[in-house]
């Protein structure tokens, strides 16, 4: 997918990229290329299209949000996505993060699970407009993961968990990475790796705020 950005958004996107680089939320060329190509204005509500390149989360539907660009950039960089990988995303929302992952895996595949039917439809429409066809959006409780297509090379949870549901680790490949915001009123972004010795923490950064992970193994 390579799409020419409309002129009116180009400066706003350039300014956002500069901000993300200056604040060190964007350091990787491939992720920059993904953020440039998967244009955020295709994933926001029509009423917010003029704010698409603000470094802010924006309301979508069902009291949910499209994530803040800095957060999407940080999570995507930490996840260290490679071409050909199979990725599970829990919490599709608008599909913007999903589309960024789809761009980075090339001929790999994304399975993205979303709890709200309205958002499944919203994300599917957004992805369809851009001819993205390596993504499966699934209506289900993502706190259960998606065992049908497991194991995954990477798992990303885009909503806050008090504790990462343990069955997600069962669905992760050996040497696979999982990223999630963990905590209650404020969360730490944690990057974990599944090794032969067990799960080890690779990175941890505090002071994030995400909407809660709902569902059977969601936030209590
Ligand atoms: N990264 C997305 C984007 O850029 O649009 C935004 C994700 S939003 C912060 C978190 C999403 O997780 C919401 O769409 C919410 O409905 C979804 N969610 C919460 N609990 C869930 C669950 N148990 N299973 C699946 N999705 C869930």
């Amino acid at each position: 997918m390579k799409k020419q950005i409309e002129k009116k958004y180009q400066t706003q996107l350039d300014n956002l990229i500069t901000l993300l680089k200056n604040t060190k939320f964007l350091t990787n060329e491939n992720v920059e290329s993904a953020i440039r190509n998967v244009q955020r204005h295709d994933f926001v509500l029509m009423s917010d299209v003029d704010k698409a390149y603000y470094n802010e989360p924006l309301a979508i539907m069902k009291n949910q949000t499209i994530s803040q660009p800095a957060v999407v950039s940080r999570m995507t960089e930490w996840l260290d996505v490679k071409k050909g990988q199979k990725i599970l995303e829990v919490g599709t929302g608008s599909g913007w993060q999903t589309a960024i992952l789809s761009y980075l895996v090339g001929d790999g595949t994304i399975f993205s699970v979303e709890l709200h039917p309205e958002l499944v439809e919203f994300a599917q429409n957004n992805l369809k407009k851009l001819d993205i066809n390596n993504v499966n959006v699934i209506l289900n409780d993502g706190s259960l993961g998606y065992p049908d297509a497991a194991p995954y090379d990477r798992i990303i949870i885009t909503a806050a968990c008090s504790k990462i549901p343990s069955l997600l680790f069962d669905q992760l490949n050996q040497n696979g990475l999982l990223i999630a915001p963990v905590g209650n009123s404020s969360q730490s972004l944690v990057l974990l790796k599944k090794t032969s010795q067990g799960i080890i923490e690779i990175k941890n950064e505090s002071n994030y705020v995400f909407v809660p992970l709902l569902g059977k193994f969601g936030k209590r």
Side-chain angles (χ1 to χ4, degrees):
M1 177 206 7
K2 185 96 185 164
K3 190 170 155 242
Q4 194 68 37
I5 189 163
E6 288 168 55
K7 271 210 177 88
K8 64 176 174 176
Y9 297 119
Q10 185 67 64
T11 312
Q12 297 178 41
L13 173 60
D14 288 341
N15 290 343
L16 174 65
I17 296 282
T18 303
L19 173 78
L20 297 181
K21 285 179 159 178
N22 288 345
T23 51
K24 307 274 184 276
F25 278 89
L26 178 59
T27 61
N28 176 290
E29 276 179 14
N30 291 335
V31 176
E32 176 176 343
S33 164
I35 293 174
R36 285 192 179 280
N37 277 281
V38 182
Q39 294 156 19
R40 195 170 184 247
H41 67 264
D42 286 320
F43 293 86
V44 301
L45 297 181
M46 286 295 280
S47 52
D48 275 339
V49 81
D50 291 337
K51 299 185 197 152
Y53 296 98
Y54 290 9
N55 185 27
E56 287 176 9
L58 297 170
I60 38 176
M61 296 152 191
K62 308 303 290 179
N63 289 325
Q64 303 300 325
T65 52
I66 177 170
S67 303
Q68 183 183 2
V71 175
V72 168
S73 184
R74 175 72 94 236
M75 291 180 89
T76 308
E77 288 203 4
W78 280 15
L79 208 54
D80 190 23
V81 175
K82 310 266 193 252
K83 292 228 174 296
Q85 287 186 327
K86 182 165 62 169
I87 301 187
L88 172 66
E89 179 183 47
V90 176
T92 318
S94 69
W96 185 49
Q97 169 79 78
T98 325
I100 286 176
L101 296 172
S102 136
Y103 178 92
L104 290 168
V105 296
D107 61 358
T109 315
I110 315 298
F111 292 86
S112 185
V113 186
E114 170 58 54
L115 198 60
H116 294 293
E118 294 83 348
L119 289 173
V120 168
E121 195 185 341
F122 182 54
Q124 279 175 331
N125 287 337
N126 293 338
L127 295 163
K128 203 165 153 196
K129 276 188 297 194
L130 301 179
D131 288 332
I132 293 173
N133 45 32
N134 61 346
V135 172
N136 300 283
V137 182
I138 299 128
L139 173 63
N140 212 337
D141 175 3
S143 76
L144 306 168
Y146 186 59
D148 296 19
Y152 302 97
D153 302 303
R154 301 285 186 264
I155 297 181
I156 176 169
I157 306 176
T158 68
C161 338
S162 326
K163 185 174 173 288
I164 296 169
S166 62
L167 43 71
L168 288 180
F169 294 114
D170 303 337
Q171 296 174 29
L172 187 61
N173 262 330
Q174 197 74 254
N175 295 318
L177 298 172
L178 180 151
I179 191 165
V182 183
N184 291 310
S185 52
S186 152
Q187 299 94 44
S188 293
L189 207 52
V190 294
L191 179 71
L192 304 169
K193 182 172 184 175
K194 182 169 175 176
T195 71
S196 50
Q197 271 79 50
I199 304 295
I200 58 168
E201 186 175 284
I202 309 285
K203 291 185 186 194
N204 183 319
E205 189 172 64
S206 54
N207 284 326
Y208 286 86
V209 180
F210 283 72
V211 294
L213 181 72
L214 307 172
K216 184 170 181 195
F217 297 111
K219 233 159 166 238
R220 302 272 158 231

